Amino acid sequence: MAVARFHAVNDHEQDWNFAFEEPLHEVFPQLHAAQNAWMAQIDSLEAPDRKTHELIRMVCTVILRNPEGVQRHAMLAAEVGATWDEIVGSILLTEPAFGLLRAVEALPYARKGFNAAQEVETEVD
């Protein structure tokens, strides 16, 4: 049975969004390409709407204690219209199941992401 191959772009064409991507690509370029294709399909889901999508992904990163993910998804949520209250409210929804600490730890990173989105919006205006 043939294994499907995914196109792996040349290194000079790469835009690494995450620190792990370059070392992964160096050792397993086909795996990296397959993961990117899979994530592109997730990113293209039509439901839920994009703002809800990013809020859900942000909450998942809160639960995982992934500060870079919280910052990134807070920024992306804000870029598609999430308010600071929606971001904080989404984070606080994690408290009953995962405790206060994870939510409190996430707030400064969420604020950085939210502020970054506001700065980009201001530059465009």
Side-chain angles (χ1 to χ4, degrees):
M1 178 163 116
V3 175
R5 292 280 189 188
F6 293 91
H7 173 67
V9 297
N10 295 325
D11 287 338
H12 69 279
E13 297 174 26
Q14 291 296 338
D15 180 20
W16 310 117
N17 291 317
F18 303 101
F20 71 84
E21 286 189 275
E22 188 171 13
L24 175 64
H25 181 77
E26 287 175 7
V27 179
F28 303 110
Q30 293 299 318
L31 175 60
H32 181 234
Q35 285 180 330
N36 284 346
W38 175 70
M39 285 303 300
Q41 291 302 307
I42 289 174
D43 287 340
S44 71
L45 292 172
E46 293 180 13
D49 63 88
R50 190 65 192 188
K51 180 173 75 170
T52 304
H53 174 113
E54 293 302 338
L55 290 170
I56 291 168
R57 290 179 71 183
M58 181 194 66
V59 166
C60 290
T61 61
V62 170
I63 293 165
L64 292 171
R65 286 186 163 153
N66 177 346
E68 293 84 7
V70 172
Q71 185 173 334
R72 176 180 175 79
H73 291 291
M75 180 189 70
L76 294 171
E79 286 176 357
V80 293
T83 65
W84 177 241
D85 288 349
E86 289 173 316
I87 289 171
V88 172
S90 297
I91 291 171
L92 293 180
L93 287 173
T94 66
E95 283 185 32
F98 299 98
L100 177 64
L101 185 58
R102 289 179 196 218
V104 170
E105 288 174 340
L107 289 172
Y109 296 97
R111 177 53 93 174
K112 283 182 187 177
F114 181 80
N115 289 347
Q118 303 312 303
E119 290 169 11
V120 169
E121 187 175 294
T122 303
E123 290 173 9
V124 172
D125 292 339

